[in-house]
Amino acid sequence: ALTKVGNQAPDFTFTNLKGESKTLTSFKGKVVLIDFWASWCTPCRAESPNVVAIYKKHSKNNFDIVSISLDREEQAWKDAIQKDGLIWDNHFWDKEAKIANIYGVKTIPHTLLIGKDGTILYKDLRGEELAAAIKSLL
């Protein structure tokens, strides 16, 4: 698979909530958590407080998050971002699942932790495991 651990993460372009166009490669030099989720996904939402805590702790330290939503409705997606306090800028609504298809996402939550050089280092970590992995990379 394209997204095997050890491979370079496939590049993609997205427009964040601020209307800025970004590419995954523009995050080189940072550890990036790519998080595929949706407002209707209970396990995704249950993980939100943990991810928010990690972001608050490490965002000034070359760490960022790219959240990719597979929601069916834009308003449900935006409401979930507000309700869960997902304070980072890089949220993208993958309305046609284009990025999800590139990444072979079959189920959510689905996360990838990308190293500073763009290499996929971990997949589907949550909770303490995710926090520990990010800490070890920074």
Side-chain angles (χ1 to χ4, degrees), residues 27-132:
F27 292 92
K28 280 253 162 87
K30 290 185 170 189
V31 172
V32 178
L33 177 67
I34 301 176
D35 187 5
F36 291 92
W37 73 293
S39 65
W40 45 262
C41 166
T42 308
C44 301
R45 302 287 296 273
E47 181 66 3
S48 292
N50 181 50
V51 177
V52 170
I54 289 169
Y55 182 78
K56 284 179 175 170
K57 190 171 179 181
H58 296 298
S59 62
K60 291 177 178 59
N61 192 16
N62 289 325
F63 171 72
D64 216 331
I65 299 172
V66 176
S67 290
I68 301 172
S69 166
L70 301 177
D71 267 290
R72 295 174 191 103
E73 293 169 26
E74 187 172 15
Q75 199 53 54
W77 165 59
K78 288 182 171 173
D79 290 348
I81 290 169
Q82 288 301 320
K83 190 164 191 275
D84 293 2
L86 309 181
I87 53 179
W88 47 95
D89 291 333
N90 297 303
H91 289 276
F92 175 67
W93 183 26
D94 194 10
K95 191 169 37 179
E96 290 151 17
K98 287 181 176 157
I99 298 171
N101 288 336
I102 293 169
Y103 274 77
V105 175
K106 302 277 184 264
T107 59
I108 54 175
H110 182 74
T111 61
L112 300 98
L113 197 54
I114 313 296
K116 293 179 181 179
D117 62 353
T119 304
I120 299 169
L121 299 175
Y122 298 96
K123 288 168 91 164
D124 292 323
L125 295 181
R126 289 187 192 68
E128 285 302 311
E129 284 185 320
L130 179 63

